[in-house]
């Protein structure tokens, strides 16, 4: 939910799931294609990951911010945009939704926290595999293995700071929305 761009919030649950799932499927399908040269393998990854990841993202988004379903597409997108930017939402009727979305972002970040040690372990395994592929594998395997290492390192180094900045902006938007929502809790 924290990674879902505001553009996807403009759509309904099914469209959000398709958008997120397709993005992940294409991305990782390309990795499979470069690594193995197999169009069939890339197609399987594209289809399977698109379906399962898309369903997971859409369900998680709805579970963490169920009030978002009550908003129309433009209202939901306005709330997400204002909250992610740390700005006051222009429409006073949407102020309570800003608080709800900011809370949902915090809950999503808290749910992801226990997964950090797993990411660290998988990063170590990815480094070992990349070294092995560099010594014994094909060029495609080596390239993909090191790209995976870079992605995991970004997740360990860059993403915590980016998430902290996002949560700080969400808190600013929530604070700006409180007076418009009619009280301290909105």
């Amino acid at each position: 939910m924290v990674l879902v761009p505001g553009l996807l919030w403009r759509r309904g649950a099914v469209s959000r799931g398709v958008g997120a799932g397709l993005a992940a499927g294409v991305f990782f399908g390309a990795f499979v294609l470069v690594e193995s040269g197999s169009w069939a393998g890339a197609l399987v990854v594209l289809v399977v990951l698109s379906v399962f990841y898309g369903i997971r993202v859409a369900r998680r988004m709805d579970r963490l911010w169920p009030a978002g379903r009550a908003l129309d597409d433009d209202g939901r997108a306005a709330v997400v945009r204002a909250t992610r930017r740390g700005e006051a939402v222009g429409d006073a009727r949407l102020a309570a939704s800003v608080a709800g979305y900011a809370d949902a972002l915090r809950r999503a970040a808290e749910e992801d926290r226990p997964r950090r040690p797993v990411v660290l372990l998988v990063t170590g395994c990815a480094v070992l595999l990349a070294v092995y592929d560099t010594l014994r594998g094909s060029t495609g395997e080596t390239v993909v293995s090191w790209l995976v290492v870079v992605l995991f390192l970004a997740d360990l180094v860059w993403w915590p700071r980016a998430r902290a900045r996002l949560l700080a902006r969400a808190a600013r938007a929530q604070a700006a929305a409180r007076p418009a929502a009619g009280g301290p809790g909105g």
Side-chain angles (χ1 to χ4, degrees):
M1 170 154 168
V2 178
L3 288 175
V4 176
L7 174 68
L8 284 181
W9 283 101
R10 184 174 292 279
R11 305 173 191 278
V14 172
S15 295
R16 287 194 307 265
V18 169
L22 197 56
V26 167
F27 185 76
F28 288 104
F31 272 86
V32 169
L33 182 61
V34 169
E35 190 268 336
S36 68
S38 169
W39 283 98
L43 185 61
V44 167
V45 168
L46 170 73
V47 170
V48 171
L49 192 58
S50 294
V51 169
F52 287 108
Y53 186 71
I55 290 169
R56 181 184 182 276
V57 166
R59 291 186 67 196
R60 187 172 191 217
M61 290 167 73
D62 279 346
R63 178 180 55 82
L64 288 169
W65 190 37
R69 288 186 296 240
L71 298 172
D72 65 3
D73 295 346
D74 291 331
R76 193 171 42 249
V79 167
V80 170
R81 185 176 39 256
T83 307
R84 292 177 85 81
R85 290 179 180 170
E87 302 168 350
V89 67
D91 187 345
R93 294 173 296 165
L94 299 175
S97 296
V98 168
Y101 181 67
D103 287 339
L105 286 174
R106 275 192 296 282
R107 283 193 308 275
E110 285 300 317
E111 284 181 7
D112 290 343
R113 186 157 298 165
R115 297 180 183 114
R116 302 306 295 165
V118 174
V119 173
L120 185 60
L121 176 67
V122 172
T123 302
C125 292
V127 168
L128 293 175
L129 181 61
V131 169
Y132 177 81
D133 284 345
T134 300
L135 298 174
R136 303 251 183 211
S138 68
T139 302
E141 290 171 336
T142 301
V143 168
V144 169
S145 292
W146 285 109
L147 284 174
V148 168
V149 168
V150 168
L151 288 173
F152 278 113
L153 288 174
D155 189 36
L156 289 172
V157 176
W158 168 80
W159 177 237
R161 290 191 302 251
R163 183 183 56 228
R165 286 190 303 269
L166 173 64
L167 293 176
R169 288 191 304 268
R172 279 198 314 271
Q174 188 174 29
R178 279 190 183 123

